[in-house]
Amino acid sequence: MELGTLQILNEARASRRAAVVVSDLADGSSQAFVEGERIPPEWAEPVSEALHSGRPRLVDIGERPLFFNVHLPPPRIVAIGAVHISQALARLAPVAGFDMVVVDPRTAFATAERFHGVELLADWPEDVLPERPLDRYTALAALTHDPKIDDYPLRAALEARCFYVGALGSRKTHASRVERLRTQGVAGEAIARIKAPIGLDIGAASPAEIAVAVLAEIIMSLRRRDVDLPAEGAR
């Protein structure tokens, strides 16, 4: 691998951004770019597919065999609330390939005994997230029902364009949440990105079943997320 390509990949990894290396198998040349940079229009489909699936692809374009190798940041889940759903989600998330962090200032719930083997931060999200910023490869699930704990991370997740933002609560609870966020200056288009009620509708009843529904919705959002692929020559 060329030194310039390696430097681009290292910088992308450090900043938790996706990168793709396109290698021309006919002449051995390669080109690396980071998600958000302009690419040739004819590369858009294979690059988009690689970014969504996380798998490399070999595609002939204009009689040139091109190998698209994708490098994605490890996806992670930030759960706000050390509740029973979070306990079940913490056991499921690693199985599906997600890192997970639980944040909850309520030390009666946020105990190592209840969350063995999971990164647990017993502090307010306002204090945690500036030091551990959210990004486009993070899913945020707000699970406390408490506006004092949930609202700040929801706003932060929308601003960071997390690929998934979900919030626990009934439709009535969410309507109140929407009104609060509006008064806090959050745009309606951004608020509409919040998945509420949280999780796919599979008829989940128990905390473990709700965790399954939430994880399934997170996976679906990851695989179907918008990718940033401006074409060369486009304004």
Side-chain angles (χ1 to χ4, degrees):
M1 181 178 293
E2 297 176 358
L3 180 59
T5 300
L6 184 60
Q7 289 175 334
I8 291 173
L9 293 180
N10 285 337
E11 290 172 3
R13 184 181 298 111
S15 60
R16 282 184 53 82
R17 298 177 66 188
V20 176
V21 178
V22 184
S23 300
D24 189 328
L25 301 186
D27 62 15
S29 64
S30 64
Q31 181 177 348
F33 65 90
V34 177
E35 184 179 1
E37 296 178 351
R38 296 185 183 280
I39 63 171
E42 63 271 23
W43 291 4
E45 188 279 331
V47 168
S48 176
E49 197 283 334
L51 288 173
H52 281 111
S53 69
R55 296 191 298 268
R57 293 190 68 190
L58 177 60
V59 181
D60 287 335
I61 298 179
E63 299 183 353
R64 295 166 58 200
L66 301 179
F67 185 68
F68 295 81
N69 197 10
V70 63
H71 301 262
L72 299 179
R76 64 185 175 191
I77 299 171
V78 174
I80 306 300
V83 298
H84 289 107
I85 296 171
S86 304
Q87 285 182 288
L89 190 58
R91 293 192 294 272
L92 296 169
V95 177
F98 290 89
D99 297 332
M100 182 165 167
V101 180
V102 178
V103 181
D104 195 327
R106 303 170 300 182
T107 53
F109 299 113
T111 66
E113 292 76 16
R114 299 182 68 230
F115 288 91
H116 179 70
V118 174
E119 186 175 12
L120 179 64
L121 302 173
D123 211 338
W124 288 89
E126 290 91 328
D127 296 323
V128 170
L129 296 185
E131 301 296 326
R132 305 283 296 273
L134 306 171
D135 57 43
R136 292 170 61 93
Y137 284 85
T138 300
L140 182 125
L143 302 171
T144 74
H145 280 299
D146 187 339
K148 296 191 303 297
I149 303 175
D150 284 348
D151 283 3
Y152 174 83
L154 285 171
R155 294 198 308 272
L158 294 173
E159 291 173 2
R161 298 194 61 77
C162 290
F163 74 85
Y164 176 87
V165 184
L168 187 67
S170 65
R171 297 186 188 281
K172 181 179 179 181
T173 297
H174 186 59
S176 300
R177 179 184 296 124
V178 168
E179 190 58 33
R180 289 196 309 275
L181 292 175
R182 281 178 176 163
T183 62
Q184 294 166 18
V186 182
E189 182 179 352
I191 295 173
R193 293 186 55 235
I194 300 174
K195 305 292 187 183
I198 196 170
L200 294 184
D201 184 6
I202 59 173
S206 70
E209 291 173 351
I210 295 171
V212 170
V214 172
L215 183 58
E217 191 170 51
I218 288 173
I219 293 171
M220 182 178 71
S221 298
L222 177 65
R223 298 305 179 197
R224 298 179 180 176
R225 71 191 185 284
D226 293 333
V227 294
D228 189 9
L229 293 175
E232 289 179 346
R235 293 185 176 181

